[in-house]
Amino acid sequence: MRPTDIERFMDLALAEAKNAELLNEVPIGAIVVNNEKTIIGRGFNQTESRCNPVAHAEILAIEDAAKQNRDWRLNNFILFSTIEPCPMCKSAAAEARINRIYYGSENSQMMSNKKECIQTNLRNIDCSKILKKFFKKLR
Amino acid sequence: MRPTDIERFMDLALAEAKNAELLNEVPIGAIVVNNEKTIIGRGFNQTESRCNPVAHAEILAIEDAAKQNRDWRLNNFILFSTIEPCPMCKSAAAEARINRIYYGSENSQMMSNKKECIQTNLRNIDCSKILKKFFKKLR
């Protein structure tokens, strides 16, 4: 994928994170892109507003993509997330047969094994800034 | 938890698996039990009928429990599943702060680290039989 495409998709994931911010949710956003480089799924973290521990940005984006795709098998689709997905979301991507994840900023809480199919620190400053701002406001 | 309680809850998880079987879904069932030993969440695998790669029995039971509980934090609640939960579902239980999982039959596809908080092979024969029957019919 070209750097300009990656930049564009990360911008859209960040726009999803801003939707979460407006709801006072931890601001994380995600999108799923299909083989034609079309956005087919979107999600932002809504654990509090949906009272659902599973309603992470990436899970919602994957569910949205499966519905749009009319097939839950998202072979070769790409998941973009503003931060490093948690183990649940990484496993959900694997369940959906997504084998490429691009994310903006590393999650310092996680000590995950980096694999070649995962690209990281794509928009590190923007993606970490929105989270830092949120947690600063909380304190 | 007393063995008779475990038996009763595994029976109910098996009843959920039978709901999946009726829909021609991979027959896996799960329930969530709260601190008062009341069933607060139920789910059966519906990946195909919901066109959702995330719609595993355990995920649906956790989502149901969070809704019933009006709080997504399911501290000290217990997840019962007919088979060993996949990594996504184990991580979802952790996200929901469920720290005890009881399951009926081991999943031979998984090489998971057994932890003390996970009890296994509780209803091994019944829980594996329903799955074996399903896959035999497929062939």
Side-chain angles (χ1 to χ4, degrees):
Chain A
M1 189 169 280
R2 291 179 308 178
T4 49
D5 284 333
I6 294 175
E7 186 84 6
R8 184 164 61 93
F9 292 134
M10 285 307 305
D11 271 342
L12 290 161
L14 261 167
E16 292 298 320
K18 281 165 194 157
N19 288 332
E21 193 180 32
L22 290 173
L23 289 179
N24 271 325
E25 297 273 2
V26 177
I28 299 172
I31 59 166
V32 172
V33 175
N34 73 7
N35 295 324
E36 284 79 41
K37 292 188 189 168
T38 304
I39 294 154
I40 197 163
R42 297 164 195 267
F44 56 91
N45 177 44
Q46 287 168 73
T47 45
E48 298 297 341
S49 40
R50 291 197 187 191
C51 188
N52 184 346
V54 177
H56 287 194
E58 300 91 330
I59 295 274
L60 298 177
I62 290 167
E63 290 184 327
D64 188 27
K67 193 174 270 183
Q68 301 295 327
N69 191 45
R70 296 183 184 186
D71 186 348
W72 62 260
R73 295 159 196 84
L74 309 177
N75 295 301
N76 302 319
F77 289 20
I78 302 175
L79 174 66
F80 286 82
S81 179
T82 53
I83 66 152
E84 180 177 1
C86 76
M88 174 180 75
C89 293
K90 276 183 193 158
S91 304
E95 286 294 329
R97 307 192 183 171
I98 288 174
N99 57 4
R100 296 185 78 184
I101 301 174
Y102 289 9
Y103 62 83
S105 184
E106 300 217 350
N107 188 337
S108 56
Q109 290 186 296
M110 278 183 282
M111 301 281 282
S112 70
N113 298 318
K114 296 292 172 296
K115 290 181 189 164
E116 271 183 278
C117 57
I118 297 183
Q119 289 202 19
T120 175
N121 285 333
L122 300 169
R123 288 286 299 273
N124 191 18
I125 293 167
D126 293 333
C127 292
S128 60
K129 203 166 65 183
I130 190 170
L131 269 180
K132 279 179 191 152
K133 193 173 82 180
F134 178 81
F135 286 112
K136 199 170 170 182
K137 207 170 67 183
L138 276 190
R139 279 190 298 266
Chain B
M1 188 168 284
R2 292 179 306 177
T4 49
D5 284 334
I6 293 176
E7 186 82 6
R8 183 163 62 91
F9 293 134
M10 285 306 305
D11 270 342
L12 290 162
L14 261 168
E16 292 297 321
K18 280 165 195 159
N19 287 332
E21 194 179 32
L22 290 173
L23 289 180
N24 271 326
E25 296 274 2
V26 176
I28 299 171
I31 60 166
V32 173
V33 174
N34 72 7
N35 296 324
E36 283 80 41
K37 292 188 189 169
T38 303
I39 294 153
I40 196 164
R42 297 165 195 268
F44 55 92
N45 178 44
Q46 287 168 74
T47 45
E48 298 297 341
S49 40
R50 292 197 186 192
C51 188
N52 184 347
V54 177
H56 287 195
E58 300 91 330
I59 296 274
L60 298 177
I62 289 167
E63 290 184 326
D64 189 28
K67 194 175 271 183
Q68 301 295 328
N69 191 45
R70 295 182 184 188
D71 186 347
W72 62 260
R73 295 160 196 83
L74 309 177
N75 295 301
N76 303 318
F77 288 21
I78 301 176
L79 174 66
F80 286 81
S81 178
T82 53
I83 66 152
E84 180 178 1
C86 76
M88 174 179 75
C89 292
K90 276 183 194 161
S91 303
E95 285 293 328
R97 306 190 183 173
I98 289 174
N99 57 4
R100 296 185 78 182
I101 301 174
Y102 289 7
Y103 62 83
S105 183
E106 299 217 351
N107 187 337
S108 55
Q109 290 186 297
M110 277 183 283
M111 301 281 281
S112 70
N113 298 317
K114 296 290 171 299
K115 290 181 188 162
E116 271 182 280
C117 57
I118 296 182
Q119 288 202 20
T120 175
N121 286 333
L122 300 170
R123 288 286 299 274
N124 192 18
I125 293 167
D126 293 333
C127 292
S128 59
K129 204 166 62 183
I130 189 171
L131 270 180
K132 279 178 191 154
K133 194 173 81 179
F134 178 81
F135 286 112
K136 201 171 170 182
K137 208 170 65 181
L138 277 190
R139 282 190 294 267

